[in-house]
Amino acid sequence: MRSNLIESRQKVTQWVRLGVVLLASFGLGSAVIAQGPPPPPPPGGIPPLPPVPQPSQNPGTPEKELLGKFLFWETQLSTDSAVSCGTCHFPEAGGSDPRTLAEVTRHPGADGVFGNADDVMGSIGIQHQDCSGEILGGGIFGTERQVTSRKSQSTVGAMYSPTLFWDGRSGPQFINPETGTVSIPGNSTPAGGALEAQAIEPLLSEVEMGCETRTWNDIRARLIGAVPLQYATNLPQPMVSALSQFPDYPSLFQMAFGNSEITAERIAFAIAAYERTLLPNQTPLDQFINGNPNALTPDQQQGMNVFLNNCLPCHGGPFLSDNVFHDIGVRPENEDTGRFQVTGNEIDRGRFKTPPLRNVALRAPFFHNGGKETLLEVVNFYNAGGDFQNPEQGPGTPPLNLPLGARLDLVEFLEALTDPRVEAALPPFDHPSMPKFFRRGDVNRDGSVDISDAITGLQHLFDNLPITCEDAADTNDDGQLNIADAVRLLARLFNGAEPLPAPSELSEGPDLTIDLLECLD
C-alpha cells in the first residue's frame, strides 16, 4: 500500500513536470521553471554515513539484537496487548506510523476540538484505563483509543541522534529507571544512550502503551507470563528458530544476557541494540556518494544541487539533520511549545528537532503535526518561508523563492533518499505482522456500527457478499460466522444488550482470541 502511494505521488510529480515543460514550450513558463541549471553544489557535499555509534555499556551482540527485535514487536508489552513499539514505527513507513493518514489518528490539538486547523495527525495508543484493564473513558477521546499529540518520528537510523522525540526529551544520557543511576553517560558516544532512554518511555505512557499507575514490576510480570509474539504472525525465520530453543521471555533474556533476570535496563538495552541494526545505508544517494554516477537520475542530481544550496545547514551531514531545534513556522508556537517543555527556556518555545531525511518519502504526512501530506507541499512550505511568523522563529526559514522546476527536482532528490530494503521490509528491516485493528460489528468497515452492518453480515452469509474483515463480523467472538452474529449485533443495537466483545464497538483494536478468521484491511 505504501509503495502504491509513493508511485502515485511520483506520477503526479511527472504530470506536473510535463505541464511545466508544455507551458515553457509556449513561452509561458518563465514564472514557473528555472532558466538554465541551478548553481553548482557548494564544496563538501554530503558525506557518507559513519560507523554506528556503540556505547561501551551496551555493546551489540546478535543475541541481544534478536531479543530486542522480539521486544520491539511485542504487543503484550502494552497494557491491553494491542500496541507494540513497531505498531507506530513500521519500516515500510520509513520507521514511522503507516496509519497516520487515517482519520482515526487525528488528535484535536491545543483547542481540544476536532476538525480545526490545529489538529494533529498522531498515532493510536491505548484506551484510557487503569492497570486492571477497566476502561475509564473521559477526557478528549472517551472510550476510544487515545492518539498522541505529535506524529511519531522514525526509528530507522535513529542511532545517530543524541536526543530523541520532537522535543528532545530523551538522551543523551540514559538513567536506569529502577535504580536512578546513570547507565550510559551522555558523552559515551556521539549519540550517548539516547536510544536506550527513548526505548522505555512509551511503556509507561498512559496514552501509548501503559496505564495510570503502571510500574516496572507490572511490565516484568507481563513478560514472564507471555508467550512471545503470541498475537503476531509471519515471524521472520531467525525469530522462529529462536523460539524453538527459547520459548519464553526468561529464556530469551538468558540467551541475550547470560541469565533470565528481566529488568528495565535490559529491556532498554535490547531494544536499543536492535534499533542500531536498522541502518539505512543503501539508498541511491549512498550509491552515488560511493562512486556510482548513474545511481541518481539527472533530475535527482539537479535536485541535490538545489538541496545543497538551500537546505543546509539544518539538513546537513550524513544523516541530513543537524539534530538542533528550530521554529520554522509550522504552527503558532503556543499551540505546542515543543522544546520549551523540556528546557523551560523561552527561546525554545515552539522549537522542534530537525528530522533526518533518509526515507523521508515513506513518512507522509510531514512535520510534527502531520500537517503536510506530500513532499511537494513541504517544499512549497519552505519556498514561502513557512506558514506562520512566530516571535521565536529562527533565521533559517527565509523564503526560498525557487521556481517550480527546481522544486520538482528537489522532490525527486528527496525520493532518492529511500533505502529499498526499508520500503520492502527486507532484512534487517523485516518484522512480524502485527494484528489488524478493527471495530467489532463494523462489518462494512465504514467506521461505525449500525443496522447496515447487520445487513452486510447477512448478505455475506446468504448472498456471498465479500467482506474484508471476518473478525468484525464475528460479533459474538466465537470464531465462526453464522446467523448468531447478526442476532448478537441486533440485540446490542436495539435491545440494550451488553457491549460486543473486545474490540467492541466502543473502540478499535486487535482480536486477541486465537481463531481462523482474518481481517485483511
Side-chain angles (χ1 to χ4, degrees):
M1 180 181 70
R2 177 68 53 164
S3 62
N4 291 339
L5 184 61
I6 297 296
E7 289 176 8
S8 66
R9 287 176 180 156
Q10 290 173 338
K11 289 178 181 177
V12 169
T13 302
Q14 291 167 0
W15 279 109
V16 172
R17 187 181 297 280
L18 177 60
V20 169
V21 172
L22 290 173
L23 284 171
S25 69
F26 286 100
L28 302 174
S30 59
V32 294
I33 193 166
Q35 302 299 308
I46 299 172
L49 285 170
V52 173
Q54 295 270 1
S56 60
Q57 298 83 358
N58 184 26
T61 66
E63 295 80 10
K64 193 188 300 181
E65 292 159 4
L66 185 58
L67 170 61
K69 191 168 188 173
F70 273 96
L71 295 172
F72 187 89
W73 294 99
E74 181 56 82
T75 60
Q76 294 170 96
L77 273 173
S78 67
T79 300
D80 63 356
S81 296
V83 180
S84 71
C85 302
T87 301
C88 303
H89 296 284
F90 261 69
E92 300 95 312
S96 187
D97 194 333
R99 308 164 300 173
T100 310
L101 287 167
E103 190 62 25
V104 72
T105 66
R106 184 178 295 275
H107 185 286
D111 64 4
V113 178
F114 287 96
N116 292 340
D118 70 336
D119 287 4
V120 174
M121 303 309 291
S123 290
I124 307 169
I126 66 171
Q127 294 169 278
H128 182 213
Q129 59 192 276
D130 64 22
C131 290
S132 71
E134 180 181 351
I135 305 303
L136 301 176
I140 297 172
F141 299 100
T143 60
E144 295 283 356
R145 288 186 176 274
Q146 301 170 97
V147 177
T148 61
S149 60
R150 294 174 187 153
K151 185 184 185 298
S152 64
Q153 289 199 296
S154 176
T155 51
V156 174
M159 71 283 285
Y160 290 106
S161 180
T163 58
L164 293 169
F165 293 111
W166 285 103
D167 56 16
R169 63 185 181 272
S170 286
Q173 72 175 1
F174 170 52
I175 298 175
N176 185 321
E178 293 189 282
T179 66
T181 59
V182 175
S183 293
I184 302 178
N187 60 358
S188 60
T189 73
L195 277 182
E196 286 80 0
Q198 180 276 332
I200 60 175
E201 184 166 326
L203 302 180
L204 297 178
S205 166
E206 297 176 22
V207 173
E208 296 182 58
M209 298 175 71
C211 51
E212 282 200 326
T213 58
R214 198 178 207 196
T215 68
W216 285 104
N217 284 333
D218 297 328
I219 295 171
R220 198 169 5 254
R222 287 189 71 84
L223 285 178
I224 290 173
V227 175
L229 296 178
Q230 180 177 7
Y231 302 116
T233 55
N234 303 317
L235 274 63
Q237 188 56 48
M239 304 181 87
V240 174
S241 299
L243 286 178
S244 67
Q245 295 180 267
F246 310 101
D248 53 38
Y249 275 109
S251 61
L252 285 169
F253 274 79
Q254 173 89 33
M255 171 196 74
F257 291 102
N259 64 61
S260 61
E261 184 182 11
I262 298 176
T263 68
E265 181 182 68
R266 285 182 169 185
I267 291 171
F269 277 12
I271 292 176
Y274 163 62
E275 290 182 335
R276 289 191 177 96
T277 70
L278 304 179
L279 179 64
N281 62 349
Q282 295 185 19
T283 70
L285 172 64
D286 291 300
Q287 297 174 39
F288 185 82
I289 291 173
N290 291 330
N292 179 358
N294 299 317
L296 297 180
T297 68
D299 287 338
Q300 289 168 344
Q301 293 184 43
Q302 292 271 64
M304 182 171 67
N305 287 355
V306 175
F307 178 86
L308 293 172
N309 280 290
N310 293 277
C311 304
L312 307 183
C314 296
H315 288 289
F319 212 66
L320 310 179
S321 171
D322 60 3
N323 289 316
V324 176
F325 301 85
H326 302 279
D327 181 350
I328 58 174
V330 173
R331 293 294 305 165
E333 62 184 19
N334 284 324
E335 285 184 2
D336 185 339
T337 55
R339 182 65 171 166
F340 172 80
Q341 297 174 21
V342 177
T343 67
N345 295 330
E346 197 61 35
I347 193 68
D348 288 328
R349 185 178 295 275
R351 291 188 172 185
F352 297 89
K353 190 165 78 75
T354 306
L357 295 183
R358 286 172 178 266
N359 301 295
V360 66
L362 304 177
R363 300 204 304 261
F366 304 100
F367 296 133
H368 69 274
N369 66 337
K372 303 296 182 185
E373 290 192 11
T374 69
L375 286 175
L376 185 56
E377 287 182 22
V378 172
V379 171
N380 287 339
F381 165 89
Y382 283 105
N383 206 51
D387 289 344
F388 295 88
Q389 296 298 316
N390 292 326
E392 304 300 337
Q393 186 169 331
T397 51
L400 300 180
N401 296 319
L402 297 173
L404 181 56
R407 282 178 271 152
L408 294 175
D409 287 338
L410 181 53
V411 170
E412 294 269 357
F413 170 69
L414 294 174
E415 290 172 346
L417 304 178
T418 299
D419 187 321
R421 301 170 303 157
V422 174
E423 185 174 9
L426 298 175
F429 307 100
D430 57 334
H431 59 84
S433 297
M434 295 288 94
K436 299 287 187 179
F437 275 34
F438 66 96
R439 194 181 301 269
R440 197 176 299 280
D442 183 17
V443 185
N444 60 14
R445 304 291 277 161
D446 66 354
S448 61
V449 177
D450 51 37
I451 186 64
S452 67
D453 294 297
I455 294 172
T456 300
L458 291 170
Q459 288 177 318
H460 174 68
L461 288 175
F462 298 109
D463 295 335
N464 295 317
L465 179 72
I467 58 175
T468 59
C469 187
E470 295 172 330
D471 284 309
D474 182 20
T475 61
N476 59 11
D477 196 24
D478 66 355
Q480 304 177 59
L481 298 184
N482 52 41
I483 191 66
D485 295 303
V487 173
R488 177 69 174 87
L489 179 55
L490 292 170
R492 172 58 179 160
L493 290 174
F494 299 109
N495 291 341
E498 64 183 20
L500 302 177
S504 74
E505 73 279 13
L506 302 177
S507 176
E508 289 196 352
D511 187 4
L512 301 184
T513 303
I514 306 299
D515 55 39
L516 298 179
L517 301 180
E518 293 185 307
C519 195
L520 302 178
D521 65 351

